[in-house]
Each structure stands twice: as C-alpha cells, then as structure tokens.
Amino acid sequence: MVEHMKWWGWGQEGVAFHHEDKPGLAPFARRMAGIDFDAPPVRVPELSELTVPASQAPEELRAAFAGAVGAEHVHDDDLDRVVHCYGKSMRDLVRIRRGDFGRLPDLVVYPGTEAEVEAALRVALDADAVLIPFGGGSNIVGSLEAPREETRPVVSLDLGRLRSLLELDETSQLARIQAGALGPDLEAQLNARGWTLGHFPDSFKHSTLGGWIATRSSGMQSDRFGDIADITRAVRVVTPKGVVATRQVPVQAAGPSVREMVLGSEGRLGVITEATVQVHRLAEERVIQAYFFPDYGAGLKAMHDIAASDASPSITRVSDEMETQFTLATSKKGSALSQLLSRGVKLYAARGKGFDLEKMCLSFIGFEGSSLHVKRSKRLVDEIVKRHGGFGVGTGPGTLYDQKKFDTPYIRDFILDRGAYGDVSETSSSWATLKTLHDDVVAAAQKAFAEIGTKGFVFCHLSHSYHSGACQYFTFAFQPPADRDGLEAYDIVKGAIQQAFIDNGGTLSHHHAVGREHKPWVTDDLSPAGAEVVKALFAGVDPGRNLNPGAIVD
C-alpha cells in the first residue's frame, strides 16, 4: 500500500503545528504581518462536501492500464484523484480547499516494476493520453498538474511501489535504488547496512529519489554530500524512445550528458524508474554548532571565507536579522534555543561584543565525519567566525534545529487556517552579489505588500555554500486584504520576489525547480536561445506532448 499526505495540506493526518508552547510567536506574527494566531481557524471542508468531477477515462483505457499493471493498481476514486491533482504549493493548497481541482487526473496508476512502467507509458501513448509521473506529492512549483484546457485523458503515474534498495556496491560506494523510495525508507534501508545517501531536503519525509532527480533537489547537508546532481551517477528512464540507461561511471566525455538532461526534467522526458547514487559510511561523529554574528553582512562574509578555507562543514547556514527574530520567537519555552538569551548571551552580545540586538544573526554550522575531522574543521570555522565578529553558543540549539528541521512546512498550513498566506522562494547567485540581492528582494517584497495594501514580513537565510556563491532561501507571509482575492495578492508578492532574483543576477530557483510557477522567468534565466534548446529537446523526445505538458516551457 502506498501512503500519501493529506489531501488538503502538508504531511500526515493528525500532525499539526501548535503555537501555545511558543510564547513569542503570536506577538511576532501580529506585529510583523497582522496575523492573529488566536483567531478561530477556518474550517477545512470534508472532501465529501465538495464536488469532485467524475473521471473521463474511457472503459477501454481503464482496461488497458489494468492489463499493464493489474486491475487492483488502477484507481479512479475521488480521494486518490484529488491527492494526485496538485502538489503542495501555497497556490495548490488554496485552490484545493476551495474545491478548485483544476484538470483532475482521470486515473491513478501504480506500476510495480520498470516493465510495468514501460507498459503503462505505451498504453498512454497509444491512447494519446497525458501521463504525469508522481513521487511523494511534495512539489511546490506546479509540476504535478495537467493543463486546465487538456481534453485528452489524464493519468497520474504513482511510483510509490518502486521503493527498494536493489544493490549496494560497497567498494565503489554506489547504491542502486528505485525511484519511488521516500526519503525515510531509502535511509532506513541504507542505514541498516551502515550507509547513508546524505540527502535531506525540507521535504525529506514526503519526497522520493525520483522526485529529487526530476527537480534537481538540494539537501540540508549538500555542503558535504553535494546536491542530487552531484550524488546521482546513473539513471534509468522510460521514455517514448525506449529505456534510457546511463553508465555507472564517475565521469564521461560522451557528448552532451544524457544524465544531466534527465536531472531537472520534471517528467517531460520520461519516467525515472531507478538511479545509481553515491553513498557514504555513517559518520563517526555529527554535531551542529550555533553561532551569532553582529549582522547578516558579517555572516555572509564568514560563510564565504569558510567555503574558501580547508574546513569542510556539512551545513553552512546563517539567518538574516528578521529570520533570527522569527527563529527565536518559534522556540518553545524552556528550550535550548529560548534559553540562549536568558543565560547571559544577550548581555555578552550587547556589552561584550557591542552587538545591536535587533541586527544580530543566528547561524548553524554542521560538522560530520571522524572525530579528528570534526575537531579540525570546527577549529578552522571558529577562527573564521571570530575574525568576523561572531561567537559560538554551543550545540544545544543546533541539536534542536536538527530534530525539528522537517516540521517547518506545517507552519504554512497553520497560518493558512487563519486566512494568512506564507510561502518560500529560493535562488543562487555569486558571492559578490549575495548581499545586494538580499536587500533588493526584501525591498521588492515590502513594496509589493504596500501595493496590495497590507503588512507582511520577509526573511532569509543562506542555506548552501559553493566555491563561487551560495543559495539564499526567502520566506514571506502576509494577511491578504479583505477586498482582494488572496491568490491575486500572492501573485503580486511572489512575482516581485522572483523578478528581483533575475534582476540581481540570480537564478529563478536553486532547488525547487520550474514547474508552472516559475515558468515566466525561464527565458530570462536560460536566455531565449537556451529556452529554445530545451523546447527542442522535449519536442524531439515527446512530439505528442504526452508527458507532463506545460511544465518548464510551453
């Protein structure tokens, strides 16, 4: 049986965010964005109260898929189709709660082998149906929905039954894993044999290996292990041209990289069925150290110098001043994080270090490996932090961050229940442009809030460091004015942030991909000629536009 997230929100039924044990959060939200945490939540309707359009699948198509994967693995009930109609973006959640299901899939098909994926794709092509691959359903950029105007049958191909570790080559440090494996299942199978993939995106609990590859995912420890493009050494993809199988080699010079074409393809080229990925022995030691910097600029300079040093941390993260205030506000009463400013740290920062407490920024830096490696890297990082005016505050807050790192998306559902909108948007740019880009994005968001006539907040953290630059991850939230549609207001704010990325030399997305949400900026990002190359690639592989049409480019 394949388990899915709840149809109307993030994560599992019965799991939700609560603010009562976080005394600083409600005042922060009210002050910064006018969000009233004490307001009674908007009731989410039962699915039975909404009108779910009936499946339009012809009986002969249903029978053909039953022949391909087994009748018990072809579903057309309301719940399964609704679960598969969208991902989990803010736009998706708003629409689905309104009963706006877009172009629902007519069938949900669950293949159990690569041969069944091949058979299912052939059925779809022969019937001129639309086929959309589905992993964990966590996508937040509109990669899982069919065009509203689509008149052909629409099929969601759920890879949830393909979730096994097939082979572990300990000599080469490679694992062959089926694409439908969710993060926790994948890690449990590797951990049992002493290994780890080391890939932990925010969506880890509800996303799959195939989904990570299809969207060029990055994880919280990508500084050490690389992003999924670095981790993935070979892929198998069922396409209209046959099964594409790249070689399990570290490097090759055999023309344009087919592996790279598959990375970030979002189902436009075919269905990823398995991948060979780099794995690592479980670390002897793993710690996350917390630091404070006098301001965000100092933190960015420190991250730059850490990236250029001989230290090799697993995590380099620094929050700007607004996110630091938010993080402290979300800490539970009596927790290691909340106690930071009640154990003399505040006094030391203000009097001993001369910090402006409204500008100081919190940083988490992770170290992983042998005890000797951790000790050496931490010593190098401590010296760099000190050089940029920062100081360490121990591992307690880092341990708490590590424990709660996958819970953040539940906050978005919580504020949506109270009529407020919150979302994220991320980019990467060169070290030379980071601070200017940050400041311009914040200014663009605030200008957008003013345009729609509301208060809101936007904050940011540097989340991944590279040789030449870094990723900055922005979060924003606001209360839509009563006289304006919430999604219309959302488009103005999100669009302003995305445009500021492009205007400041950043990319449209560092790791959430394109989908439909970011498609307006593809040509600016890739160049007009580059966008035409991508279109030609998709048209050459899938001339009938049967595979996830509308994602990335038209």
Side-chain angles (χ1 to χ4, degrees), residues 376-445:
R376 180 174 182 272
S377 287
K378 184 178 179 303
R379 184 178 70 248
L380 291 171
V381 167
D382 285 348
E383 292 172 356
I384 294 170
V385 169
K386 184 177 181 180
R387 192 160 67 239
H388 289 281
F391 63 95
V393 290
T395 59
T399 300
L400 184 64
Y401 158 76
D402 205 30
Q403 293 169 346
K404 300 296 183 182
K405 60 192 174 193
F406 303 130
D407 295 342
T408 304
Y410 287 101
I411 300 178
R412 187 184 53 168
D413 286 3
F414 177 87
I415 67 169
L416 183 57
D417 289 345
R418 283 144 187 86
Y421 284 38
D423 207 355
V424 295
S425 206
E426 28 63 65
T427 187
S428 67
S429 64
S430 66
W431 288 110
T433 62
L434 286 180
K435 186 61 167 62
T436 299
L437 183 148
H438 168 271
D439 294 348
D440 285 358
V441 169
V442 171

Side-chain angles (χ1 to χ4, degrees), residues 103-114:
R103 177 62 173 92
L104 274 169
D106 298 300
L107 298 173
V108 181
V109 176
Y110 293 86
T113 65
E114 182 176 274

Side-chain angles (χ1 to χ4, degrees), residues 36-50:
D36 184 3
F37 275 27
D38 296 321
V42 176
R43 177 181 170 273
V44 177
E46 297 291 333
L47 185 58
S48 59
E49 299 172 31
L50 301 174

Side-chain angles (χ1 to χ4, degrees), residues 359-379:
K359 293 183 178 180
M360 73 176 186
C361 295
L362 178 63
S363 170
F364 294 115
I365 300 179
F367 306 93
E368 187 165 335
S370 68
S371 295
L372 182 63
H373 169 80
V374 168
K375 183 177 181 180
R376 180 174 182 272
S377 287
K378 184 178 179 303
R379 184 178 70 248

Side-chain angles (χ1 to χ4, degrees), residues 1-4 12 135-136 159-166 176-193 195-197 199-200 203-209 212 406:
M1 179 180 177
V2 178
E3 295 185 2
H4 298 109
Q12 300 165 319
L159 279 292
R161 294 175 62 210
L162 280 74
R163 55 193 179 206
S164 296
L165 168 62
L166 299 174
R176 190 161 66 91
I177 304 171
Q178 290 181 307
L182 290 164
D185 291 341
L186 179 157
E187 279 295 314
Q189 293 178 73
L190 288 171
N191 292 173
R193 299 174 67 171
W195 295 84
T196 181
L197 187 66
H199 191 73
F200 299 100
S203 62
F204 171 76
K205 290 184 177 181
H206 306 288
S207 55
T208 63
L209 175 61
W212 299 338
F406 303 130

